[in-house]
Amino acid sequence: MSDVPHRDVTMTATEGLGPAIENMPETVAAFVGRTLRGPLNTPVLLASFGDFRRRFGGLWEQSSLGPAVRAFFQHGGRYLYVVRVANAARGPMLCLPADGSALILRGIEPGYTESLRAAVDYDRIDTSNDDAFNLTVQRINPDNGLVVDQEYFRAASHREDNERFIGDLLASSSLARIANPYPRHRPEATPHLGSGSAAGYVVSTQRGSDGAALSDYDLIGSRERCTGLFALDQCEHLDLLYLPSPTLDRDVGPAAIVAAEMYCRQRGAMLILDPDRDCRDVNDLLGRLRNRGQRSANMLTYYPSIRARAANEPGTPCGGAVLAGILCKHDRQRGPWHCLGPPECRLDRAWQPAADLDPRLVDTLVRGGVNAIVGSRAGRARVCGSVTLSRGSGAERCFDNLGVRRGCLRILNTVKHATRFAAFQTDDIGLERRIEDEIGNFFRQLANGDALATDRFVIMCYRSGKAGAQTPERGVAILLRFHPTGAPGPLSFTLLQTEEGCRITTTAFAPVIRDCA
């Protein structure tokens, strides 16, 4: 152990005694919006636009989410969570005759293109058992008629007091649920097709509905019900969040932006914000941002809008998806702690700024916290600037720099997840030293990889909720001081791991810290 004084703070280096924290994962983005089909309020991880087309139905003229997903992958994105939300949409309905009554099934996934069919048979059912039946439910691809999913329920019963009640069995189905009124008799066997032995199928008697256009509150959802934005609580890792326009003629509203920014602060992620589509010029944009008080180190925006070059492409603005893809590619090549720069800041040739930007206004935009999209007659358009919407002052001013902010978020999130176990092991002897060793190894890797400006850092770990602790909450507190690449000086943070979760705050260190490892 050795103490290295630096700016009135004693930096303590520790030998690597524990296993190093794993290197940081690939940057992951998330989009929330409306699709043709797919599961509601369930994050689905995609690795290509083909995955989106197969699971959610591809491009749709009533939603900007499809073009946004395509733009993301065109610009270098690799992993994307898509959360489908809907407003009053419903799934298809199937009615299977049951001797004067019916077994009514309602599709779980709503949408006009959701195609289900079902069949009933009595194969291998004892002839003396007039309650039991077999049910097959299939999802059909509406584009080619092929079966894409199937569920089979053997020896089900229509009686509610039976342990094989079909309603209980369908509770685990990903395709359909039973609807009231329940059948009074078991469903009739579905007629066979032709002279073969294969059973026929009953198709939907009522098509599904896509519902109405999304409101801000559909996007926000509910934390209690895990809907909308809060469906992303199911994702362990999240770096970038983007909300495509909920309708083709309306921007994301202020309520959704505020909720999304708060959610990103809680998750340690960045929110990408599109400029208003009716914004007239640079001064109009900056004035709107000031009037709305949109100032956050966890938000970034750009100007002007970005559109596809092809004349037959829809004019739906989805420039935030372009930036998300560019940032993912940038992180693989240089790391999130570096500022955007060529060549990774260039747009795909199929995309261009919606208007020509006077080069003299680029600095004005960047000073206002807005990244400029600059076209080029000879080549591809590019992103100029690497700033957040912080527009901070004092100690927070370093978070105006997008690389500094995203680098800190990535480092803190990695430490947060790697030390989560500590909240449940507060009685472990040697816990503090082991955590300090693991984080120390990780920080040395960061310094070697240019994520830190210097290899001098401070790591302190102590158990809270005991005599002499600085907080009454029971758990483990981790104090970190390090100098991120691009920052004017060291920054300090405290991570408090408790059983309820982890809280991260900026910290003011005392002038001198000794014996901190």
Side-chain angles (χ1 to χ4, degrees):
M1 182 183 301
S2 62
D3 290 343
V4 182
H6 176 64
R7 294 189 183 179
D8 296 326
V9 176
T10 300
M11 302 296 181
T12 303
T14 64
E15 299 298 329
L17 301 178
I21 297 174
E22 293 183 2
N23 286 330
M24 288 162 284
E26 177 84 19
T27 298
V28 176
F31 296 173
V32 181
R34 197 180 183 200
T35 67
L36 271 171
R37 55 180 180 266
L40 281 179
N41 300 303
T42 303
V44 178
L45 185 61
L46 310 176
S48 69
F49 183 67
D51 290 347
F52 175 80
R53 195 165 45 233
R54 285 186 290 273
R55 195 65 192 92
F56 292 100
L59 300 178
W60 183 28
E61 65 276 5
Q62 297 186 44
S63 173
S64 57
L65 182 58
V69 172
R70 183 174 59 179
F72 172 79
F73 287 113
Q74 283 180 339
H75 286 86
R78 281 190 179 171
Y79 297 110
L80 173 67
Y81 282 109
V82 167
V83 175
R84 182 193 183 194
V85 293
N87 180 354
R90 66 170 186 271
M93 184 175 70
L94 297 88
C95 294
L96 296 157
D99 191 15
S101 59
L103 171 62
I104 303 174
L105 303 180
R106 176 69 74 175
I108 293 175
E109 296 186 4
Y112 187 78
T113 64
E114 172 71 341
S115 180
L116 297 180
R117 67 184 188 183
V120 171
D121 67 74
Y122 305 147
D123 186 31
R124 298 185 181 180
I125 298 293
D126 192 324
T127 56
S128 63
N129 186 350
D130 59 1
D131 289 341
F133 62 96
N134 304 320
L135 175 68
T136 302
V137 184
Q138 294 180 340
R139 172 179 286 133
I140 306 300
N141 187 324
D143 299 326
N144 53 30
L146 297 178
V147 177
V148 295
D149 202 356
Q150 174 175 290
E151 295 177 349
Y152 179 67
F153 304 92
R154 188 182 182 282
S157 172
H158 73 282
R159 297 175 61 91
E160 293 184 66
D161 57 353
N162 192 294
E163 63 179 9
R164 298 285 297 171
F165 174 52
I166 185 60
D168 295 336
L169 298 181
L170 286 170
S172 61
S173 169
S174 62
L175 298 179
R177 294 284 188 272
I178 189 172
N180 282 315
Y182 296 159
R184 297 188 301 272
H185 308 279
R186 73 172 176 177
E188 301 166 8
T190 309
H192 290 266
L193 296 175
S195 59
S197 59
Y201 287 88
V202 171
V203 298
S204 304
T205 57
Q206 182 186 74
R207 300 293 297 269
S209 168
D210 298 318
L214 298 180
S215 69
D216 276 11
Y217 299 99
D218 295 317
L219 292 173
I220 296 169
S222 163
R223 185 179 292 278
E224 289 73 21
R225 296 192 301 272
C226 203
T227 60
L229 282 173
F230 299 103
L232 293 169
D233 286 347
Q234 303 169 61
C235 305
E236 181 178 359
H237 179 63
L238 176 64
D239 297 291
L240 304 169
L241 174 61
Y242 174 59
L243 304 179
S245 301
T247 66
L248 300 181
D249 58 355
R250 182 172 67 84
D251 297 315
V252 177
I257 293 174
V258 170
E261 191 276 334
M262 292 178 62
Y263 186 80
C264 284
R265 267 190 284 148
Q266 295 167 5
R267 291 296 304 269
M270 297 294 301
L271 174 65
I272 302 177
L273 181 66
D274 287 324
D276 294 347
R277 66 186 70 198
D278 63 345
C279 195
R280 298 185 302 274
D281 52 34
V282 170
N283 290 330
D284 184 24
L285 171 69
L286 297 178
R288 295 185 188 204
L289 293 175
R290 284 193 300 268
N291 293 336
R292 294 171 184 166
Q294 289 177 330
R295 172 180 294 187
S296 171
N298 288 78
M299 292 174 60
L300 66 132
T301 190
Y302 63 95
Y303 184 82
S305 298
I306 300 171
R307 67 184 181 190
R309 290 182 184 273
N312 61 344
E313 286 289 330
T316 305
C318 54
V322 171
L323 258 66
I326 287 175
L327 288 171
C328 290
K329 179 175 64 175
H330 161 81
D331 294 352
R332 287 196 304 274
Q333 296 176 352
R334 302 186 63 198
W337 39 80
H338 288 290
C339 291
L340 276 173
E344 68 274 0
C345 69
R346 298 188 184 280
L347 277 63
D348 184 272
R349 294 185 184 277
W351 298 82
Q352 64 182 358
D356 292 330
L357 183 64
D358 189 333
R360 294 173 295 181
L361 295 176
V362 171
D363 288 342
T364 301
L365 282 171
V366 172
R367 286 195 302 271
V370 180
N371 299 282
I373 309 298
V374 179
S376 172
R377 295 181 180 179
R380 295 150 58 184
R382 70 187 190 279
V383 182
C384 289
S386 187
V387 293
T388 72
L389 265 173
S390 171
R391 304 197 300 277
S393 60
E396 298 294 320
R397 186 158 187 81
C398 63
F399 291 146
D400 292 355
N401 184 305
L402 182 61
V404 172
R405 182 54 175 168
R406 295 189 65 232
C408 287
L409 290 177
R410 182 65 67 87
I411 292 169
L412 294 171
N413 283 334
T414 302
V415 173
K416 167 186 170 181
H417 290 299
T419 60
R420 186 73 191 103
F421 73 95
F424 306 94
Q425 299 184 16
T426 53
D427 296 327
D428 182 6
I429 298 175
L431 177 66
E432 297 100 319
R433 179 58 183 268
R434 189 165 69 253
I435 290 175
E436 290 170 355
D437 291 337
E438 292 175 357
I439 299 175
N441 288 337
F442 174 56
F443 273 29
R444 278 183 282 274
Q445 292 180 28
L446 292 173
N448 292 335
D450 296 329
L452 301 183
T454 174
D455 60 359
R456 291 174 291 184
F457 48 81
V458 175
I459 305 167
M460 295 178 60
C461 180
Y462 64 89
R463 305 179 202 219
S464 61
K466 64 181 182 180
Q470 300 178 22
T471 171
E473 294 183 83
R474 182 173 174 81
V476 173
I478 304 169
L479 281 69
L480 304 175
R481 183 172 176 83
F482 57 91
H483 188 168
T485 294
L491 301 176
S492 305
F493 303 90
T494 296
L495 290 80
L496 180 61
Q497 294 278 16
T498 67
E499 293 185 4
E500 289 72 27
C502 180
R503 186 170 69 248
I504 301 176
T505 57
T506 56
T507 305
F509 268 64
V512 177
I513 298 177
R514 301 184 186 280
D515 301 326
C516 56

